[in-house]
Amino acid sequence: MYPSLYIHIPFCRSKCFYCSFASFENKDELIAPYLDALKKEAALYRGQKVSTVYIGGGTPTYLAIACLKTLFSIINIDFVLGKDSEVTIEANPTAFDPKKIKCLADGGVNRVSLGVQSFSNKNLNWLGRSHCRGSAISIFKALRKAGFKNLNLDLIYSLPAQSEKDIKKDISELVSLDSEHVSLYALAVSGGSKLAERKVEPPLPERQARHYLLVTELLKKAGFLHYEVSNFAKQGFECRHNVNYWRGGDYIGLGAAAHSHLGGRRFWNVTGPETYIAALKTKESAKAGEEKLGEEGRFMETFLIGLRLTEGVDIRELGSRFNVKFTPEKEEQLNGFVREGLLIRDQNRIRASMSGMVVLDEICSRLI
């Protein structure tokens, strides 16, 4: 299988209060030189076939139409996509009009991930979002009218003051839009975010666990397949780009802070757009570091990431792929999680139970 391609666009109109990613506001003067730098980095892979493309951020749709056209030309000049390649772009309801939607379609985008986050204007304000409930719904309908048949909606739940009734209302509105895919994330307060600066505390883990089980059940009842810890899809609409990550596939990352993985070699770029632009002006790449993973490291990393998928991991296939097996000590540790009901072992396949999904980060940290 060919690698996936990720392109990072770090620019935003404003930074949301929960965001700790490599995204930056009030840097519009850097957009043109950033795209020039992207051209140079992409040229290193000219002719490379890729299976999927994901344009993330930041807010890629914050770019003006002329800049979006430049971005799409970089992809089409330097990479070879199949006729059925999945091409996703992240979008924000703010400053997203029909002309820009047409530009996405003309540029080859066939999947849009829309950052709704909440259908409550009060909660949107608390999260620092720049759009309102009505604009999110309007943009979703405009994307449908333009012919997009693969849409994802992002939603954040389990806010400190959010009740189960509030969560159910959000899920009900989300389901009514009938998207093909949903990504749901319990609120996390990460270092570097404005919520962290304000010393906001998310709900206690026990409460967030209840909320997780609630939203999962509601979406299953609505006909969504729960295929990954935080992701749900109608049949056949699982995000192929992300599934490639979770199955330990190769990927190429372009742009500031982007990571790549090719054949066990992992490397990553400098973080800020200024340093990224400067690096590609003076040298061939913006690489900040790299590491080579041995077969044992790749085996374990692929197993742990694969536990995020509800299908779990085929241990026999994984062992054959890397010519590695679990040590007796690791086998006993896994069996302990099985006895606790956190993991399920079905012949050669290991997967997380629903109770295991709730504490999957803790399980993985103990298995490392």
Side-chain angles (χ1 to χ4, degrees):
M1 183 177 176
Y2 300 118
S4 294
L5 172 65
Y6 174 79
I7 300 177
H8 190 65
I9 304 298
F11 305 104
C12 289
R13 167 173 288 186
S14 59
K15 197 170 176 82
C16 301
F17 298 160
Y18 56 86
C19 181
S20 61
F21 298 126
S23 60
F24 305 88
E25 55 189 351
N26 301 319
K27 291 185 180 288
D28 290 17
E29 73 282 0
L30 295 178
I31 292 175
Y34 185 85
L35 291 173
D36 287 339
L38 269 181
K39 285 181 188 178
K40 186 174 180 182
E41 188 178 22
L44 299 174
Y45 299 94
R46 183 158 293 174
Q48 172 69 55
K49 293 181 179 180
V50 294
S51 58
T52 64
V53 178
Y54 195 105
I55 305 167
T59 309
T61 53
Y62 176 64
L63 299 185
I65 288 176
C67 294
L68 284 169
K69 288 180 177 179
T70 297
L71 176 61
F72 298 143
S73 72
I74 292 171
I75 296 169
N76 293 322
I77 288 171
D78 292 309
F79 297 93
V80 179
L81 282 68
K83 290 182 180 179
D84 64 342
S85 293
E86 176 190 88
V87 182
T88 302
I89 192 167
E90 291 182 347
N92 190 319
T94 305
F96 196 23
D97 56 40
K99 290 182 180 179
K100 201 168 280 190
I101 291 174
K102 183 178 184 302
C103 176
L104 302 187
D106 292 344
V109 172
N110 53 30
R111 183 176 184 272
V112 178
S113 180
L114 189 63
V116 174
Q117 313 311 357
S118 177
F119 290 96
S120 159
N121 286 334
K122 178 182 176 181
N123 288 338
L124 288 170
N125 288 333
W126 188 87
L127 290 166
R129 297 294 289 173
S130 56
H131 72 274
C132 66
R133 169 187 175 277
S135 62
I137 294 171
S138 295
I139 289 299
F140 181 89
K141 291 180 177 179
L143 286 164
R144 276 285 190 249
K145 187 175 180 181
F148 281 93
K149 298 178 180 179
N150 192 355
L151 299 176
N152 171 65
L153 296 177
D154 275 358
L155 197 77
I156 297 175
Y157 68 96
S158 205
L159 309 185
Q162 195 176 33
S163 67
E164 290 193 1
K165 182 179 178 180
D166 296 331
I167 293 173
K168 287 179 180 179
K169 185 176 179 181
D170 254 2
I171 298 296
S172 177
E173 291 216 52
L174 182 149
V175 167
S176 71
L177 290 176
D178 197 28
S179 65
E180 287 70 33
H181 193 281
V182 173
S183 297
L184 290 183
Y185 304 102
L187 179 71
V189 179
S190 304
S193 70
K194 293 181 181 178
L195 291 183
E197 291 175 6
R198 296 174 184 177
K199 302 189 185 314
V200 170
E201 293 287 342
L204 293 173
E206 295 80 6
R207 185 163 175 242
Q208 287 206 328
R210 289 199 306 273
H211 291 168
Y212 175 73
L213 295 174
L214 172 65
V215 298
T216 299
E217 186 61 28
L218 290 172
L219 285 174
K220 284 181 178 179
K221 285 182 178 178
F224 285 90
L225 170 69
H226 183 205
Y227 74 98
E228 190 270 346
V229 174
S230 302
N231 287 275
F232 305 77
K234 299 291 180 62
Q235 190 68 44
F237 286 95
E238 299 87 347
C239 179
R240 288 156 49 194
H241 183 89
N242 287 339
V243 168
N244 179 53
Y245 287 154
W246 296 319
R247 289 180 177 162
D250 283 344
Y251 50 91
I252 295 165
L254 303 181
H259 284 235
S260 302
H261 178 271
L262 295 171
R265 186 171 68 94
R266 183 160 49 209
F267 48 100
W268 52 92
N269 285 344
V270 294
T271 299
E274 297 94 340
T275 50
Y276 174 76
I277 293 165
L280 282 157
K281 277 185 178 179
T282 58
K283 54 185 181 179
E284 193 174 69
S285 82
K287 190 188 301 180
E290 66 176 295
E291 61 179 336
K292 178 70 175 177
L293 298 176
E295 295 300 274
E296 290 186 4
R298 294 181 68 188
F299 171 85
M300 200 63 201
E301 181 177 272
T302 305
F303 171 69
L304 295 176
I305 294 173
L307 285 179
R308 295 190 63 85
L309 292 165
T310 55
E311 68 181 25
V313 182
D314 185 326
I315 296 303
R316 178 178 291 179
E317 184 280 328
L318 192 65
S320 175
R321 180 174 163 190
F322 296 112
N323 194 28
V324 174
K325 292 182 178 180
F326 288 121
T327 64
E329 294 79 12
K330 196 67 69 178
E331 282 279 3
E332 178 53 35
Q333 196 176 12
L334 287 168
N335 290 335
F337 287 128
V338 172
R339 289 191 294 270
E340 291 179 57
L342 300 176
L343 296 180
I344 298 170
R345 194 161 194 162
D346 183 10
Q347 296 183 337
N348 297 314
R349 187 168 291 277
I350 299 177
R351 58 187 177 87
S353 65
M354 276 306 299
S355 55
M357 288 276 186
V358 171
V359 293
L360 189 58
D361 288 345
E362 174 64 20
I363 292 172
C364 290
S365 68
R366 287 165 61 182
L367 285 170
I368 291 174

